[in-house]
Amino acid sequence: EVQLLESGGGLVQPGGSLRLSCVTSGFTFTTYDMGWVRQAPGKGLEWVSTISGSDGRTYYADSVKGRFTLSRDNSKNTLYLQMNSLRAEDTAVYFCAKDGTYIGGGSYYFLSHEYWGKGALVTVSS
Amino acid sequence: DIVMTQTPLSLSVTPGQPASISCKSSQSLLFSDGKTSLYWYLQKPGQSPQLLIYGLSNRFSGVPDRFSGSGSGTDFTLKISRVEAEDVGVYYCMQSIQFPRSFGQGTKVEIK
């Protein structure tokens, strides 16, 4: 069973830093792309960042580029999101998400955000 | 960047009746291999989102066959053939043909 468990959320002042962790189990961590999606209070989903499982290449939303850093520790099956220079608009629940693949009917499919964690709340406020 | 636009933003449905949600993308989501990078997710109240449909029309494991995805190019539809009480929540479409990935605004489905 795939499990994604986020931690590290909390209250931080504007300009501060926080590191989110996502401990995973139930699949071969190194094989898959992983990332984060956030949801501000009462709002919709916003993709934040993705890291490749094959080469570690990272991708970021413009809203967090230069402030957030996504990394993975394959020896610990853990994903990290280092968040610096936090702003009030970064307040959200941050979901860890696993990408996947499916082969069936002679076709290969890539599955974005196949599985999700329960989320970690980050509140940026003075 | 690709913009995803969903309509309607809310829907009230009688149990047993069909429901349909539209999603339009600002650019084609069609890969050169013929696959379409369009996903549908459902976020039930108080829960994390869950994958319903991938590759335009393929139901994810465990998703009931009353859910179906269709469309092409830039216009897409999620249909629920007979809405059940457990289908309430917010439905999102998302594109993954290029970064940044982008979601629609969400469509809230409630039961009458």
Side-chain angles (χ1 to χ4, degrees), chain A:
Chain A
E1 179 191 5
V2 172
Q3 294 196 0
L4 309 174
L5 183 61
E6 303 96 336
S7 62
L11 174 64
V12 61
Q13 291 188 338
S17 298
L18 213 54
R19 188 179 81 158
L20 300 181
S21 300
C22 174
V23 176
T24 75
S25 61
F27 64 99
T28 304
F29 183 69
T30 53
T31 301
Y32 298 101
D33 297 355
M34 297 288 302
W36 295 88
V37 174
R38 69 184 181 183
Q39 185 170 38
K43 302 297 184 182
L45 302 175
E46 179 188 15
W47 172 80
V48 174
S49 184
T50 295
I51 185 168
S52 168
S54 59
D55 60 10
R57 187 171 179 179
T58 53
Y59 306 85
Y60 298 95
D62 285 346
S63 57
V64 307
K65 199 173 295 181
R67 300 187 299 122
F68 289 14
T69 302
L70 182 58
S71 62
R72 60 194 299 160
D73 185 335
N74 291 335
S75 68
K76 296 181 178 180
N77 294 338
T78 301
L79 185 72
Y80 301 102
L81 185 66
Q82 177 66 43
M83 303 184 293
N84 298 332
S85 303
L86 282 162
R87 306 166 180 166
E89 53 265 35
D90 295 318
T91 294
V93 173
Y94 286 71
F95 296 102
C96 174
K98 168 193 175 292
D99 286 350
T101 57
Y102 175 74
I103 300 174
S107 293
Y108 176 93
Y109 291 93
F110 184 78
L111 276 58
S112 293
H113 311 315
E114 179 189 23
Y115 292 101
W116 301 63
K118 294 188 183 302
L121 175 62
V122 173
T123 303
V124 185
S125 174
S126 55

Side-chain angles (χ1 to χ4, degrees), chain B residues 36-48:
Chain B
T36 300
S37 188
L38 188 280
Y39 298 78
W40 290 97
Y41 302 88
L42 165 60
Q43 186 174 29
K44 295 183 178 182
Q47 296 186 19
S48 306

Side-chain angles (χ1 to χ4, degrees), chain B residues 2-71:
Chain B
I2 297 176
V3 176
M4 306 295 287
T5 304
Q6 286 182 234
T7 55
L9 298 185
S10 66
L11 204 49
S12 184
V13 188
T14 301
Q17 294 301 301
S20 180
I21 300 170
S22 172
C23 175
K24 296 184 188 297
S25 60
S26 60
Q27 298 176 33
S28 174
L29 303 185
L30 181 64
F31 276 116
S32 56
D33 64 359
K35 295 191 182 74
T36 300
S37 188
L38 188 280
Y39 298 78
W40 290 97
Y41 302 88
L42 165 60
Q43 186 174 29
K44 295 183 178 182
Q47 296 186 19
S48 306
Q50 59 189 84
L51 177 62
L52 291 178
I53 302 287
Y54 64 92
L56 177 66
S57 60
N58 302 280
R59 283 186 300 276
F60 187 54
S61 176
V63 174
D65 60 8
R66 63 179 180 274
F67 290 93
S68 64
S70 63

